[in-house]
Amino acid sequence: MLTRMPYILDGSQPAPALSAADRILAAIRAVPRGHVAGYGVVARRAGLPGRARMVARLLGAHSGTCLPWHRILRSDGRIAFPPGSEGYLEQIRRLRAEGVEVRNGRVRMPAAEDLLDAEIWRPD
DNA sequence: AGTATGACTCATC
DNA sequence: AGATGAGCCATAC
């Protein structure tokens, strides 16, 4: 990729803007191990407030690729898949594997959005 | 171009 | 806590 845009290295030209999808993907990848985030939160972090559904769609589209998809939950902390479904069970398995407590398909969501978080993620 | 469909969210009851 | 309805946005047909 860099060979296609060598100017990135010397800053002689501004880096091309990331697409909405790429920003969402980045926001998903940035959720640390053992943590979770809501679809809406991810969208907001990607600079796309109100587009939770786009986050969901992307996750589906990229299923099978290397993404921490299991760390993304509904705003109320519940798993988005139908209870008992394969995805549901797999998500619980993965969350528990990294130390997240899951009870009845539900996870305790991070309180509000801490300010540090908002600061770090403010889209430039 | 119009409609249906979601790994959604919010207000309300 | 669960149910419901409206709002939302990108895709698929």
Side-chain angles (χ1 to χ4, degrees):
Chain A
M1 194 50 146
L2 273 177
T3 58
R4 267 178 190 264
M5 15 187 176
Y7 52 83
I8 278 188
L9 294 177
D10 57 23
S12 63
Q13 290 182 43
L18 259 39
S19 70
D22 283 339
R23 294 201 306 273
I24 290 178
L25 258 16
I28 293 170
R29 278 191 266 262
V31 179
R33 251 169 40 104
H35 292 240
V36 295
Y39 293 87
V41 171
V42 170
R44 210 157 41 238
R45 287 173 179 173
L48 301 162
R51 284 180 230 197
R53 300 197 100 132
M54 190 171 172
V55 174
R57 213 182 51 71
L58 251 96
L59 278 172
H62 289 244
S63 67
T65 69
C66 180
L67 269 183
W69 57 270
H70 55 282
R71 311 210 259 252
I72 314 302
L73 308 170
R74 280 196 180 128
S75 62
D76 61 3
R78 249 184 300 206
I79 298 217
F81 290 111
S85 67
E86 191 176 335
Y88 176 92
L89 298 170
E90 176 65 14
Q91 186 160 13
I92 291 180
R93 202 156 35 236
R94 284 169 180 256
L95 284 171
R96 293 209 169 121
E98 39 186 72
V100 178
E101 235 184 273
V102 188
R103 267 162 31 193
N104 282 332
R106 181 178 281 173
V107 165
R108 231 175 71 92
M109 288 300 272
E113 250 190 280
D114 45 273
L115 302 175
L116 175 61
D117 211 50
E119 180 64 24
I120 291 175
W121 280 100
R122 185 197 322 125
D124 297 307

